[in-house]
Each structure stands twice: as C-alpha cells, then as structure tokens.
Amino acid sequence: MNPSLKVNKINSANANAQATIALSELDKKIEQVTKTAGKNLKIDGFRKGKIPAAVIKARYGKQLEADAQRECVQDLLQEILKKLDVQANAIIGDPRITKFEKKDNGIELEIELSLVPNIPLDGVEDCIPEVKIPEVTDEEVNKRLEEITDSRAPLVGIEDGRRKLKDGEYAKIDFEGFIDNKPFEGGKAENYLLKIGSKSFIKGFEDQLIGMKKGEEREIQVTFPENYQAANLAGKPATFKVKLNEIQTKGKIEIDDNFAKTLLPEEKEANVALLKEKIKTQIAAEKKQELYNKELKAILAENLHKTIDFDLPNLIVEQEMDLLLRNEFGKLSKEEQEKLTKDTEALKAKREEQRETAQRSVKVTFIVDAIAKRDNIDIHENEILNTIYYEAITMRQDPKMVLEYYKNNNLIPAIKMAMLEDKILTNLLNKKAQ
C-alpha cells in the first residue's frame, strides 16, 4: 500500500487522489519490467533470456522507465478503488492525471476520476406530458384517397387542338436553349414530359408555357440562378425555343371495391370502407409521429433533465464540452479559427460556453441509458444499418460509402445512442397516448 495516498470522494460520481510514488518503489518496478522484457528481447551477441539487465537498461532505459511509471500508476489506481470501495467497472472514462512532477523523493501525482452515477428512476413516469393525438377527419381521409387515386391515374392525351395548356397539366415538349444565340450543352431535349407547376425547370420557364396549344412553338426568356450547378450558365439570361407536342392530363379512377382490392391485395374482403379505415389509421400514425417529433419528445427530455437529479461525472462532461467546442470551431471561417487559436483566453471562454449544453446532453444520455437497462430495451445492429441505408438513399448517396464513413470516424455509437433515445422517449409517450 502507498502510505502517501489520499483519496477524496467529491460526490457519488467524482473523486480525486494525491500520492507520491517513492523512488524505491519506482526502482523496484523498473527491475521487474526489465526482467520481463529480458525474456522476450533479442540482442545480437546474447542468447534469448540471457541478456544482462545492464545491457537492457543501457539500450531501452527511457522506455523501461516509462513502462515502470505506467505500472506504478495502475497499481495506484487499484488502491484508489479499494479506498473508494468500488469495482473497476465503476470507473467511467479514463482517469485524468492532473499532476505528474518528478521530485527528489519520487513522483508527485494528482488523479481525477469519474464514477458511474446512481440514477433514480422513480419519477420517470411523472415526467411524461399529456399526449393527445389530433382526431382524423373524414375530409382528411377523402383528400388522402384523392391523392392516392391521382398518383395512380394514367396520363391521357388531349386531342382538341384548340385546347390551351393549364397549370397542373403535363406538357410533352421539344426544347433547345441558347445563350448569346448559341446552343449550350444539356439544353436540348425531345418529347420531354413536364408537369406545369412542378418547378422542376428554371424559374419562369413553366409559367410561360401556360396557354400554348398543341403544335404551337414559342420562345421563352429565362435567367439561370446565380447559384446554378453549372458554373458556365449561372446568372446568365437564356432563350429557349419550345414546341408543344401534346397536352396530357390525369385520367379518372373510379373509387370502388375493385380499386380497394388493388391497394389491399392481402385483404380477402377489401372494400372502400376498409380502405378508408386503413388510410385513417395511417394518417393518425403520421399525426402522432409529427406531434412527438415537433413537440412532445423535447418536452419529455426537458422534464427528465429538470426532474431527475444525480451527480454528473465531470470527466464525461468535459469530454462533451470538447466535442461541442470542435463542432462550433468547425462552423467558423478560417480567419475566425486562426484568430481564436491564437487567443488562449477567448478559446477557453468559447469552451466554457458549452458547459450547460454539455451537462444537459450528458444527463439525458445517462437517464436514457438507465431506462433502457431497466426496461431491457436495445438497438440491434440491423436497425442501425437500416437507418444508415435509408438516410443514404434519401441523400442520394452510396449506402456502403456512408456506412464506411461512419465506421472510420467512430460515429456508429453516437447513431446508436440517438436511436436509443428516440426509442425510449417514444415508448414513454406511448404510455399516455390517447
């Protein structure tokens, strides 16, 4: 035992310790690591396991001393755990050595460590806000049904040559674009089907087609946006020569039991009434999800934060502050980054600004983790992979590349924790859902 060791338990989640590693203890540890190293080292002129200690020290002295110091610190940590009367798995994060000074009598040490907090969950259910899902009206159901039929209805060409193109209809057009009377690459197409009002073309293009008749030709004047993806076209005025080949509009679908059967093939007795009931259930689920995501999850998380009280591990809060600072730093311009890097006090102040947010984040994370363990809730690997896959597809990116990026940057644990938090909050809200 180290007679100089003093351990101070600050609260249930934090402690610090002071001690001196005596030179005699350090020398003894150096002899031990030298002996261990000698069993495996190979040095020319000596048989393995028969290398004199003096030779090993002469060649690897600094490394041996560093190894000895590290082992002395590990031994000290074991003594600290005994004095705190906790197991090794009670330590959370890496203990931080805040002082390591070599003196005549040995090495003076100060160590900070954080412990897994005890989180009282008795008041969790009291934190759940009122959950009242808005009613689904017949009007909403009928509107959704109309949208479904409209999306499935076939396009029908209008033969009447006198008929003018209207907003919301489909135009089959030939077009060619010119800048300074010269055609440009990618500005030409034939029989292109364009929905008027979709805003899929340059601003003003679709509006100028309204009123055209089948077979009519027209010149359209537009200006490419300043932020247009093709730099050679950005901000430039252009003329498009357009010919309207055909006007198409959505055909009508009869909403009857046969139509219901095409949408509900798994239902033997499918009919319009059952279809409307399914649509109503879907809209109710969407309203519930929207209410949760836009309002109630934030309220619940804040209630948990305010109501459930426990000591926070300082080292974990400090790590979160560092992470938040890096995120804030990355948002700054290069000039601001350089200025902040040179100003130590300003950088410290910027980091301190993150403390409250870090404390809240760490606290909610611990609460969520404790509830997950209490209720035996977990996020499985396939759930994480599916989430990353759909996120990549939505962003039009390669799922394999996105997954590789997350793995290489050690972001998978953060994604899992975010998914776990979402699942826990949803489960709690569901307990009061009406």
Side-chain angles (χ1 to χ4, degrees), residues 188-242:
K188 184 177 181 179
E190 294 181 355
N191 284 324
Y192 186 93
L193 190 63
L194 173 65
K195 183 179 181 182
I196 306 303
S198 65
K199 298 180 181 178
S200 53
F201 268 38
I202 306 162
K203 185 178 180 181
F205 186 99
E206 295 168 28
D207 293 339
Q208 293 179 62
L209 296 182
I210 295 173
M212 287 182 72
K213 297 177 182 178
K214 182 178 179 180
E216 183 181 343
E217 296 183 12
R218 184 179 287 185
E219 287 193 359
I220 289 173
Q221 310 296 327
V222 294
T223 302
F224 283 94
E226 293 291 343
N227 60 347
Y228 194 67
Q229 60 219 22
N232 61 315
L233 303 178
K236 293 185 178 179
T239 299
F240 281 87
K241 293 181 179 180
V242 181

Side-chain angles (χ1 to χ4, degrees), residues 124 126-129 295-309 356-357 359-361 363-364 367-368 421 425:
V124 167
D126 295 333
C127 296
I128 306 172
E295 184 179 342
L296 297 185
K297 284 179 184 175
I299 293 173
L300 174 54
E302 186 60 25
N303 288 349
L304 292 170
H305 169 60
K306 288 180 178 177
T307 305
I308 300 177
D309 192 34
E356 189 174 339
T357 303
Q359 288 174 333
R360 185 190 183 285
S361 176
K363 189 174 185 181
V364 172
I367 295 170
V368 164
E421 180 176 327
L425 296 179

